[in-house]
Every structure is written in C-alpha cells, then in structure tokens.
Amino acid sequence: MTGRERREQLLDIGRELFAERGFDGTSIEEIAGRAGVSKPVVYEHFGGKEGIYAIVVDREMQQLLGMVSASLIDDHARDKLERAALALLRYVEENSQGFRILARDSHAASGTGSFASLISDIASQVEHILAEEFKERGYDPKLAPMYAQSLVGMVALTGQWWLEVRKPKREVVAAHLVNLAWNGLSSLEPKPQLQTTGRKRKAE
C-alpha cells in the first residue's frame, strides 16, 4: 500500500469502530489489528486515536452540510424545506455509520464540537430563508434563528429515531415532517402567548 492508501484504510477502519463503539470504546490496538499493521504505523499517520477521530468527524460534518446546502436551491420555501428534509434523511440512510458517530455527540477530541453545533451550522443556512418568509408574512424576522433551530432539530432528532427503525420509507418520513413544519408555519400567530399562563393569571 502507498502511504495515502494506508491512511484511507485506517480512516475507514476507524470510522467503522467509532460507529460501533464510540470514541472511548475504540482503541488504537483494534484499529491497528483490523488493518494488519503495528500501532506505531497508526501513530505515524495520525499521532493517535484523536487524530483519526477528528478527521472522520470533520469529513462527516462536511458531507452532511454539503448535502443540505445543495438542497436549498429552489425558489419556493416549501420546496426548500422538502429537499432539506430529504437530504438529511438520505444522509442518514446512505451514511448510517457517519450519522451514528455524529449523533453520539462528538467527542472533545474531534475539535469540531458536538452534534448540537452541527445542528446550529445547518440551521444557520436555513435562517435567511425563514427570515424572508417572515418578512413577507408580517412576522418578526429576528425570530428566524430560533425557528430555524427548531425545524432543523426536529428533522435531526427524527433522523436519529429513523436510523434505528427504518420505517416508513424516507420519502414518507420527509412528507410527514414537512406536513408538521409547513402547516404549522403557515398558521403562525404573529405574537403567540401561552394560554395556560393566561388562565393562571386570570384566576389569580
């Protein structure tokens, strides 16, 4: 093997083990053993388990972000929402190992933060879309970041659940997610208030 081929082999093996057992449950010995090399070879390429993990997590995050970004190309807001939901679920389906690694809450060794930070990165790409919709509908565009976090978080958490059950089909899951999100958004109250809080105050 060339140095590059060996490096990619070790990354692939590390990815498999991290998905199966997480960062703490994976050892350099296991990675080296599966690759049929000695531990010093792994250290030479990555400096340790942390080095492999950081690259694996970064690659997965970039791939997921890239798929979501590429989906936000339609003019209509609902089409963007549908494509974004499908993109995230497609990543879960086609890259289940990678999603398991990300959804575990990335270890501090990754250097790229947690699953929550990934959700924030995706949400930041959705914010401007919601802000434009909010302006057109007379809502406060300053609240768009909060709604973006809510929408992306809803899809991501559903993706974690769907990763294990794999039913119904991806398109069906996406359709129901969009149904909940879009029909909820289309009937937003400009200035919502908690009804239970209001009743308590009246009772007092």
Side-chain angles (χ1 to χ4, degrees), residues 194-204:
L194 298 176
Q195 293 184 12
T196 54
T197 303
R199 284 200 293 268
K200 287 180 181 178
R201 286 177 178 172
K202 289 179 181 178
E204 292 171 356

Side-chain angles (χ1 to χ4, degrees), residues 81 88 119 123 126 130 134 144-158 177-178 180-182 185:
L81 184 60
L88 197 150
I119 296 304
V126 178
L130 289 181
F134 277 26
M146 181 181 69
Y147 279 91
Q149 291 281 344
S150 300
L151 286 171
V152 175
M154 178 179 71
V155 178
L157 287 174
T158 302
L177 283 169
V178 173
L180 174 61
W182 185 257
L185 286 173

Side-chain angles (χ1 to χ4, degrees), residues 52 90 113 118 182:
I52 299 177
R90 182 162 61 87
L118 174 62
W182 185 257

Side-chain angles (χ1 to χ4, degrees), residues 5 23-25 35 47 53 59 63 76 80 87 100 134 155 157 187 195 201 203-204:
E5 289 172 339
F23 178 83
D24 293 327
Y53 190 79
R59 284 185 174 184
Q63 183 172 359
H76 194 277
K80 289 179 181 178
R100 286 184 194 279
F134 277 26
V155 178
L157 287 174
S187 301
Q195 293 184 12
R201 286 177 178 172
E204 292 171 356

